[in-house]
Amino acid sequence: WRSAVVMMEAPVLLLLLLLLVSSCCLLTATASLYSSSDPLVLLHSSNYSREVHGVETAWVVEFYSSWCGHCINFAPTFKTFAQDLKDWEHTVKVGVLDCAVDENVPVCREHEVMGYPTIKLFAARASKGDVGTDMQRSSTVDDMGRSVIDFLVDKQKANNGSLSWVNLQPFRGAAADAWSEVRDYGIVEHVVVIVDTAKSYISWRTILDLGGYSTVAVRYKEVDILDATEFSSADLPTVIFVDKALKEEVVKGAPNTREGLKEMIAKKLGLNVGMLPYKTVYSGRRTDAAVKKEDTEGAGDGQPEEINSDKLNYEDDLPDTAFAGIERSDQVYMVDIENAVSYALGHEVIQHKFVRGEALKSLQDFLEVLVKYLPARPVVHKFLSKLHQYTVGQRNGIEGIKFAEVMKSLQGQDSILPTHQPWIGCLGSEPRYRGYPCGLWTTFHVLTVNSVLQDGSKVSFNAKTILRAIHGFVKHFFSCKYCSQHFQAMYAEDAESSVNVADDGILWLWRGHNKVNKRLHGDASEDPMHPKQQFPSEAACAACWHKGTLVEQEVLPYLKRIYSKGMLSFRGTQMISPPAKNKQARVMEELEKNREREERKESVKVNEKLHNMAEQQPLRPLSTWGFNSTDISLCVFLYGISTLIIMSVYCMVVIRRKLRRRRFLEAYKLPKRRDEVEQKSDEESVASVDDRLKVQEEVTLKL
C-alpha cells in the first residue's frame, strides 16, 4: 500500500520540482535589466573572456547592478545607445554585465568597478588584466557616441587599432589618392570622401554606419587652409564619389545630418540592408556546455564584541526578546537585515580589488558598529565579531578576493552569516525592485535606534559615530554611484552640525530617508506596487501626523518602538544547523550523553533516599550542599577503588591460610604402618594444632 502511494506521489513531486525550478529561472531572468532581444551582448563570467579578450573589435561594456535605482533609470538610455551603435559591430561592440550576480563578482572586481553604472571602453586585443578606460561622458546617447569615437580615433592614431576597423583617421590629399589606401581593392567598387570641418562627428558616424558594406570605402577629409578657396562653409559637408576609373563626382552642400548624409550616399551607390553581412545574434546565453568557466580571479585591537556580549550574545539562536506578537503593516524583519549585511559584505566589499586607506577605515568602523549595536542572532554576531577582528588587524589593506576567502573560512558551527534568504518586508513586486537598498536602509535605522536604546544615556555616547560609520560605508562601498553621491551631499549639508544629542542621529537618518523617498517618487526605479511615500504613513502612525505634516515629537517614539530589538520579527530567518560531525566527535558526544544520564540516575536515587529519610519533606538541590557533578563523580571513583582494595586483601588472607595449612600437614604427616594407638595420638595432635590455627586466624581477621 505504501509503495503504491509513493508511486502515485512521485509524478506529483516531480511536477512540483519542475515548477519550482521554472519559477526560479523566471525570477532570475526577470531580475536582469537587459534581455537577449536587446541590440547588445549579455556578458557573464563564463563568456566574458571569450567575447572581449583577444578579439579584433573594440568593446563598450556597462557594468551595472539590477537592484541599483540609477541603473534601472539608465537602462533605457543605454539600450538606445546600443541601438545607435548596432551597425558598428565591424569596429566596436556593446555589452552589459550584471555585477549583482554572485558569479560575476570576480569579473567586476578584476576591472575595479567601484560603483554602478560604470561604462568601460576596451581596445582591440584586450587581454586579461586590462581594466579598460572609463567613459567620461555618459549623460546622453550623443555624448556616449562621441566618447566612443574619440576613443577609437585615439587608439587608431597610436597604432592600437585593428585592420578590421574602419579608417577614422583624417585623409589628406586629393580624393582620387584615397584609392591608394584601400586594403581590399578587389572587392571595393567605390571610394567616398566626406569633406567637412575639423572633428566632424557627423562624418565619423557616417563612416561607422556604412562600414559594414564591403564594396564601399568611406574616408573623412578635414578642410584646411588650402581647401578654403575650393570649399566655402556653405558647401560643407561635401561628398566626393570616386570609382575605380578615378572618375570623381562632387556633391556640395550635402545633408548636414548623420541620417541624411548616410541616406544620400546609400541611394547614390545603391546600398541596401540585404547587402550587409550576416550578423550574429548575441544572446549571452550559455549554449556550449563544454566551455569551461574561465578563472577571472587573477587579475587594532578594538573589541566591542566583548564589551557588549552581555547585551547581544544571547544563549539561544534568537534574541531573548525576539518579537512574537502579531505582525503589523510596518513590521521590521531580521531576514531583511541579514540579507542586506550579507550582500554588503559578501558582494559590495569583495568586489573591490583592494581596500586600503580611508576605505579600509570605513569598513572597520562599519563592522564595529554592527558588532556593537546590531541585535543579531548569536551565530551571526559571532561571525561579525570574528570578521571585525580580522579586519582591524589588516593595517596595510585587504584584497577583495582575500576578504571573500576569510568570510568563507569563518562560516562554522558557531559562526554563520546566511548568504541569501527570501525577502519579506523588502520584497518587491519584481526582483529588480526594493531588496538590497530597502534592507540596507532598514539596517541603518536599526543601528541608530538600538545604539541610543543601549548606550544613549552614557556620557561618552556620540550619535555622530554611528552616522559617520554609515556615511563611510555608503561613500566607499555602496555601488550605486548616483545614490551614493546624493547621500554624501545630504550628509555634508547638515549631519555634523545638526546631530548633537543621542536622539538627533535617529531623526537625521529618518529625515534623510524621507528626502530620498520624495526625490524618487514616480521614478523608474520605484516599485509600482510599493510607491515611495513619506514614512511613517498615517495608517501606521496616526499620532505622527497633524494637518498633513509629520510631527517629529511623535515620530521619534514611533521609530524607537518599531526598530527596537524587542520588536523585530524573526520569521523567515534561516534555521541554522551545525555542520556534520566526524566519527570521533559523535563518539565523544555519545559518551558525554551517557555520563550525564548516569549522573541524573544517581542523583535521582540519592534524592529519593534522602527524601524518604526526611519523612516526605522536600529536599534542597544537591548544589545547596556544596556538591557538584565533579564531586559526586570523584566520590563514586574513590568508593570503587576502596572496594577493590578490600576485596584484594580478603582474597590474599584466604589464600595464605590455605597455603599454611597445606604446608603444616605435609610436614607432620605419619607413615601408614604405625599402630592404631600412635595414629590416634597423632590425629589428636593434628586436631589440637588445627584448633590453634583457627584461633590465630580469627585473631588476625579481627585485627
Side-chain angles (χ1 to χ4, degrees):
W1 177 79
R2 291 182 178 178
S3 300
V5 171
V6 172
M7 292 178 65
M8 292 176 62
E9 290 181 347
V12 178
L13 293 175
L14 180 59
L15 178 59
L16 291 175
L17 181 60
L18 291 174
L19 290 174
L20 179 60
V21 172
S22 301
S23 301
C24 293
C25 295
L26 180 60
L27 288 175
T28 303
T30 55
S32 177
L33 303 183
Y34 302 93
S35 69
S36 58
S37 61
D38 295 321
L40 43 74
V41 183
L42 300 181
L43 299 171
H44 45 73
S45 60
S46 295
N47 74 349
Y48 182 86
S49 184
R50 184 172 70 251
E51 295 285 355
V52 179
H53 292 159
V55 298
E56 294 301 311
T57 54
W59 275 88
V60 183
V61 179
E62 181 202 3
F63 295 85
Y64 74 98
S65 177
S66 53
W67 56 260
C68 169
H70 189 45
C71 297
I72 296 173
N73 288 332
F74 184 66
T77 301
F78 198 75
K79 291 178 183 179
T80 303
F81 166 72
Q83 179 68 28
D84 193 51
L85 270 62
K86 67 182 179 63
D87 291 329
W88 299 7
E89 288 188 349
H90 46 77
T91 299
V92 59
K93 294 180 180 179
V94 181
V96 292
L97 187 138
D98 188 357
C99 293
V101 177
D102 289 341
E103 294 178 356
N104 295 337
V105 169
V107 182
C108 302
R109 179 172 59 233
E110 178 71 21
H111 291 82
E112 301 178 0
V113 178
M114 301 300 182
Y116 311 124
T118 291
I119 303 175
K120 288 182 175 286
L121 301 166
F122 297 90
R125 298 177 299 279
S127 60
K128 188 174 181 180
D130 183 354
V131 299
T133 302
D134 288 341
M135 179 183 287
Q136 299 302 320
R137 291 192 291 263
S138 59
S139 56
T140 66
V141 172
D142 186 64
D143 285 341
M144 288 189 289
R146 288 171 178 260
S147 294
V148 172
I149 292 173
D150 289 342
F151 177 79
L152 296 174
V153 171
D154 291 342
K155 290 298 180 182
Q156 211 169 44
K157 185 177 181 180
N159 294 321
N160 290 328
S162 169
L163 293 178
S164 67
W165 293 10
V166 293
N167 195 337
L168 298 173
Q169 297 305 304
F171 171 72
R172 302 187 186 282
D177 295 338
W179 272 102
S180 63
E181 298 182 7
V182 173
R183 292 189 295 267
D184 300 325
Y185 188 85
I187 301 175
V188 176
E189 298 176 358
H190 293 87
V191 166
V192 179
V193 178
I194 303 174
V195 183
D196 204 355
T197 57
K199 294 185 72 69
S200 172
Y201 288 98
I202 293 176
S203 300
W204 276 323
R205 281 189 165 98
T206 303
I207 293 173
L208 287 162
D209 287 341
L210 298 174
Y213 294 95
S214 59
T215 59
V216 180
V218 186
R219 297 298 304 276
Y220 160 53
K221 177 179 172 62
E222 294 179 340
V223 173
D224 54 25
I225 298 176
L226 297 177
D227 297 322
T229 58
E230 184 179 357
F231 304 104
S232 65
S233 59
D235 295 332
L236 301 178
T238 294
V239 179
I240 304 174
F241 297 91
V242 186
D243 60 17
K244 280 191 174 183
L246 302 184
K247 180 182 177 181
E248 297 184 6
E249 182 178 345
V250 180
V251 179
K252 293 185 178 181
N256 195 26
T257 63
R258 170 190 177 185
E259 294 76 14
L261 194 59
K262 175 184 175 182
E263 183 180 354
M264 188 268 286
I265 295 174
K267 184 176 181 180
K268 175 66 178 177
L269 300 180
L271 305 178
N272 58 74
V273 178
M275 299 171 63
L276 292 173
Y278 173 75
K279 294 184 178 181
T280 304
V281 178
Y282 294 93
S283 66
R285 296 173 182 171
R286 303 179 187 182
T287 56
D288 187 1
V291 176
K292 295 183 179 179
K293 184 176 181 180
E294 179 165 341
D295 178 18
T296 55
E297 293 280 356
D301 191 24
Q303 296 182 350
E305 57 275 1
E306 296 181 0
I307 300 173
N308 299 279
S309 60
D310 58 328
K311 298 182 178 69
L312 297 177
N313 198 10
Y314 312 99
E315 295 182 357
D316 51 11
D317 191 40
L318 298 179
D320 46 8
T321 57
F323 174 78
I326 300 175
E327 294 179 349
R328 309 174 311 277
S329 60
D330 56 359
Q331 182 65 54
V332 180
Y333 296 87
M334 178 57 74
V335 67
D336 297 333
I337 298 172
E338 289 184 356
N339 280 348
V341 172
S342 176
Y343 188 90
L345 300 176
H347 198 109
E348 300 276 69
V349 175
I350 70 172
Q351 187 170 290
H352 288 239
K353 200 167 188 177
F354 294 100
V355 179
R356 56 166 67 97
E358 184 182 342
L360 177 62
K361 181 64 168 56
S362 298
L363 177 59
Q364 294 169 344
D365 292 345
F366 186 65
L367 280 169
E368 181 174 353
V369 167
L370 287 176
V371 172
K372 275 187 175 182
Y373 300 122
L374 185 67
R377 295 190 280 172
V379 288
V380 176
H381 179 263
K382 190 66 171 291
F383 180 94
L384 296 174
S385 300
K386 291 181 178 180
L387 189 61
H388 172 253
Q389 291 173 353
Y390 164 78
T391 308
V392 169
Q394 308 303 307
R395 303 184 184 276
N396 297 325
I398 306 172
E399 290 185 79
I401 187 172
K402 178 63 177 177
F403 194 80
E405 292 172 354
V406 171
M407 287 190 66
K408 186 176 180 180
S409 68
L410 291 180
Q411 299 281 11
Q413 181 174 354
D414 63 340
S415 170
I416 298 174
L417 180 63
T419 51
H420 178 70
Q421 308 158 101
W423 300 97
I424 298 182
C426 290
L427 178 66
S429 61
E430 294 182 26
R432 72 179 68 180
Y433 296 131
R434 310 187 78 207
Y436 172 58
C438 168
L440 200 60
W441 273 113
T442 303
T443 304
F444 292 163
H445 286 300
V446 169
L447 289 174
T448 56
V449 167
N450 284 276
S451 64
V452 172
L453 295 178
Q454 181 173 312
D455 294 335
S457 60
K458 295 181 180 179
V459 178
S460 59
F461 180 76
N462 186 355
K464 294 179 182 178
T465 302
I466 314 301
L467 293 182
R468 286 168 182 165
I470 292 173
H471 170 254
F473 179 85
V474 173
K475 178 180 179 180
H476 294 285
F477 299 104
F478 190 64
S479 51
C480 178
K481 290 189 290 188
Y482 182 76
C483 307
S484 176
Q485 290 167 0
H486 270 279
F487 189 91
Q488 292 177 58
M490 190 168 59
Y491 183 90
E493 183 180 352
D494 63 350
E496 293 289 337
S497 60
S498 63
V499 177
N500 299 303
V501 298
D503 290 341
D504 288 347
I506 300 175
L507 290 173
W508 183 91
L509 189 69
W510 164 73
R511 287 194 294 267
H513 197 169
N514 270 342
K515 289 179 183 178
V516 174
N517 286 342
K518 184 177 181 180
R519 176 169 54 84
L520 296 180
H521 179 63
D523 189 81
S525 62
E526 181 183 50
D527 189 338
M529 301 301 295
H530 301 275
K532 302 287 185 183
Q533 59 182 352
Q534 296 300 286
F535 179 79
S537 65
E538 193 168 358
C541 180
C544 297
W545 289 84
H546 179 68
K547 295 182 178 180
T549 304
L550 283 164
V551 182
E552 291 191 355
Q553 292 84 350
E554 297 295 335
V555 170
L556 181 61
Y558 170 82
L559 296 174
K560 287 185 175 181
R561 182 172 67 254
I562 68 168
Y563 289 113
S564 66
K565 161 186 159 183
M567 294 301 289
L568 302 181
S569 172
F570 286 78
R571 179 168 70 87
T573 51
Q574 174 184 330
M575 294 301 295
I576 299 175
S577 302
K581 300 182 177 66
N582 56 30
K583 185 176 181 180
Q584 182 179 1
R586 291 196 300 269
V587 171
M588 295 300 296
E589 183 180 21
E590 193 63 31
L591 290 174
E592 181 66 20
K593 289 181 180 179
N594 290 336
R595 185 185 67 79
E596 292 177 355
R597 283 196 293 268
E598 292 298 327
E599 289 179 358
R600 285 196 296 270
K601 289 180 181 179
E602 191 67 26
S603 176
V604 170
K605 291 180 181 179
V606 173
N607 283 334
E608 288 179 352
K609 182 177 180 181
L610 294 175
H611 185 77
N612 293 334
M613 292 173 61
E615 297 178 352
Q616 307 301 323
Q617 293 298 322
L619 293 175
R620 291 178 295 174
L622 288 176
S623 58
T624 60
W625 292 87
F627 292 97
N628 54 30
S629 60
T630 304
D631 296 331
I632 295 173
S633 300
L634 183 60
C635 291
V636 172
F637 175 78
L638 293 176
Y639 176 81
I641 294 296
S642 301
T643 302
L644 291 175
I645 293 174
I646 294 173
M647 292 297 296
S648 300
V649 171
Y650 175 80
C651 292
M652 289 177 62
V653 170
V654 172
I655 293 172
R656 289 183 62 186
R657 172 186 173 188
K658 291 183 178 180
L659 290 175
R660 290 177 60 185
R661 183 173 182 180
R662 181 177 298 174
R663 286 197 298 270
F664 178 84
L665 291 175
E666 290 178 352
Y668 292 96
K669 187 176 181 180
L670 298 176
K672 292 182 180 180
R673 290 178 294 178
R674 291 183 180 180
D675 55 14
E676 294 180 0
V677 177
E678 290 179 345
Q679 183 176 0
K680 182 177 181 181
S681 177
D682 290 338
E683 291 176 354
E684 290 176 353
S685 299
V686 170
S688 177
V689 172
D690 204 18
D691 292 337
R692 287 198 300 273
L693 289 174
K694 289 182 178 180
V695 172
Q696 291 179 356
E697 288 176 356
E698 291 177 357
V699 173
T700 301
L701 291 174
K702 290 180 179 181
L703 293 175

